[in-house]
Amino acid sequence: MNETISLLQSHRSIRKFMKDQVTEEQLDAIISAAQHASTSSNMQAYSVIGITDKELRSELAKLAGNQVYVEESPVFLVWCADLYRWEQAAKRHYEGEMPSTTENFIIGTVDTALAAQNAAVAAESLGLGIVYIGGIRNQPERVSELLQLPKHVYPVFGMCIGVPDQSPLERPRLPRKAVYFENSYKPQSIDSAIEAYDETLSTYMKARTSGKAATTWSQAMATKAGPVRLHMRSFLEKQGFNLE
Amino acid sequence: MNETISLLQSHRSIRKFMKDQVTEEQLDAIISAAQHASTSSNMQAYSVIGITDKELRSELAKLAGNQVYVEESPVFLVWCADLYRWEQAAKRHYEGEMPSTTENFIIGTVDTALAAQNAAVAAESLGLGIVYIGGIRNQPERVSELLQLPKHVYPVFGMCIGVPDQSPLERPRLPRKAVYFENSYKPQSIDSAIEAYDETLSTYMKARTSGKAATTWSQAMATKAGPVRLHMRSFLEKQGFNLE
């Protein structure tokens, strides 16, 4: 349809990178694209920390689950929801108490994701590859200490960026009818879509693993059903997010 | 630098649209771009509801704060964080209790924002304009009833899309040094950045309002400091998000 849409439609997560550096000019363009994303009432409630220190990177890679690409990617960014900077600004003219609300938590989390996705698209438009690292939430308290995050800032995810050294198959997505609805949610269209997608994904897994695995989507989703990262609530409270 | 980056850097929210329709082909490309965004462990934990019914649109516009563009934009989408579909899939192979965690709430909210931002970029690449509508969280319980959202689905924001009938000034963003840090958060760089940005934004506001307003950023942020949308926590609990 056009180059940008082709780019968006051809996204694959990249987990193996060439040694080539990402240039300062490229990183500038990536961060600038992030800064231009939409933001709730211009709050710009996110910050991004580029990890250039080798020891720190190594430590973060361990905390995120020992993923080698977190340690070795040319660029590693930690994207943080940030209500601290907004509070510093607001306090100049507002004397009341500033409640730590679920609403502001949502604003910070959404602003962070919008900015990061612009960064991802910018990077891919430059021929670079990216992968989001949710593992940064495995031990968020330790990550926050290492990055010296003030209260009301929390690490939402990391992002590796670099020149791709792999060309993975494009992973098929859910049928559109399971994701897009007209005028109201249609739970009755979910079951058949899951069944169709289970087949699609099983075929994809076979191709990707040269026949070794044929996991369906619902099987993969079941592995995520147990208690995962149950520390997030208490971590967020310690970090000043009371979710009132 | 390239066309996609120029596009990302020239984003402005559009709140006035021509009568021209968004074609089915354009909407397909927009939704397809959304579906190709990164997603946590392939959970695809979001859904999007296109509002084509006139009465429903009118009702949602009222609930979102009587913004005329919500009623009149050619396309209006409600982006929802969706853990329901994932649960339907996982239950096929998992018999334990599925906890309603803060972690999964974050996954759903982030997945929704990543998909929506891809949609926004795709729309803009087609010459369309967009604006996010946080006002959909003004009365989220009523919105959820109208859209028949099952438990574990919540409306994160709306989005208007159409052919722009205005060309607003580009709103300057915070200085990069207030948003991007190397290796650790630098609270000491915030104050001077706020002062510089207060001046920049005041100049921008004067230009935008033909001299009628000269609001600084910190003044604007102070107006957001009081209690806003305090219902979100209890709404989310009713909607099945326990934030454990």
Side-chain angles (χ1 to χ4, degrees), chain A residues 135-148:
Chain A
I136 211 75
R137 298 193 302 273
N138 287 353
Q139 299 196 53
E141 200 169 334
R142 185 77 190 110
V143 169
S144 302
E145 281 166 17
L146 284 170
L147 304 185
Q148 300 171 41

Side-chain angles (χ1 to χ4, degrees), chain A residues 63-78:
Chain A
L63 294 171
N66 278 313
Q67 296 162 315
V68 63
Y69 36 100
V70 174
E71 183 150 6
E72 294 178 359
S73 62
V75 166
F76 183 64
L77 304 175
V78 181

Side-chain angles (χ1 to χ4, degrees), chain A residues 55-216:
Chain A
E55 275 180 45
L56 177 58
R57 180 77 83 89
S58 170
E59 188 66 25
L60 289 173
K62 273 180 222 145
L63 294 171
N66 278 313
Q67 296 162 315
V68 63
Y69 36 100
V70 174
E71 183 150 6
E72 294 178 359
S73 62
V75 166
F76 183 64
L77 304 175
V78 181
W79 294 88
C80 302
D82 185 346
L83 276 312
Y84 170 83
R85 189 178 50 234
W86 163 69
E87 285 164 356
Q88 298 308 305
K91 271 186 196 167
R92 293 176 174 230
H93 308 280
Y94 181 85
E95 291 186 356
E97 207 195 329
M98 297 179 70
S100 176
T101 60
T102 301
E103 167 65 9
N104 282 344
F105 178 75
I106 293 171
I107 287 177
T109 305
V110 167
D111 270 13
T112 304
L114 300 184
Q117 186 56 15
N118 258 18
V121 173
E124 290 178 341
S125 80
L126 294 166
L128 303 170
I130 69 108
V131 62
Y132 281 88
I133 305 296
I136 211 75
R137 298 193 302 273
N138 287 353
Q139 299 196 53
E141 200 169 334
R142 185 77 190 110
V143 169
S144 302
E145 281 166 17
L146 284 170
L147 304 185
Q148 300 171 41
L149 303 184
K151 295 254 167 182
H152 303 155
V153 180
Y154 89 93
V156 186
F157 42 68
M159 182 186 282
C160 301
I161 308 178
V163 178
D165 190 21
Q166 62 177 179
S167 183
L169 284 176
E170 198 186 299
R171 181 153 54 180
R173 296 304 198 205
L174 278 160
R176 176 179 154 145
K177 72 170 182 179
V179 171
Y180 178 83
F181 306 107
E182 217 172 306
N183 295 316
S184 65
Y185 198 98
K186 306 284 186 313
Q188 65 276 21
S189 69
I190 301 287
D191 269 356
S192 63
I194 292 175
E195 274 149 35
Y197 189 50
D198 270 356
E199 272 199 41
T200 311
L201 211 64
S202 171
T203 306
Y204 157 82
M205 286 302 291
K206 268 185 236 165
R208 182 164 165 166
T209 62
S210 310
K212 278 177 221 141
T215 323
T216 66

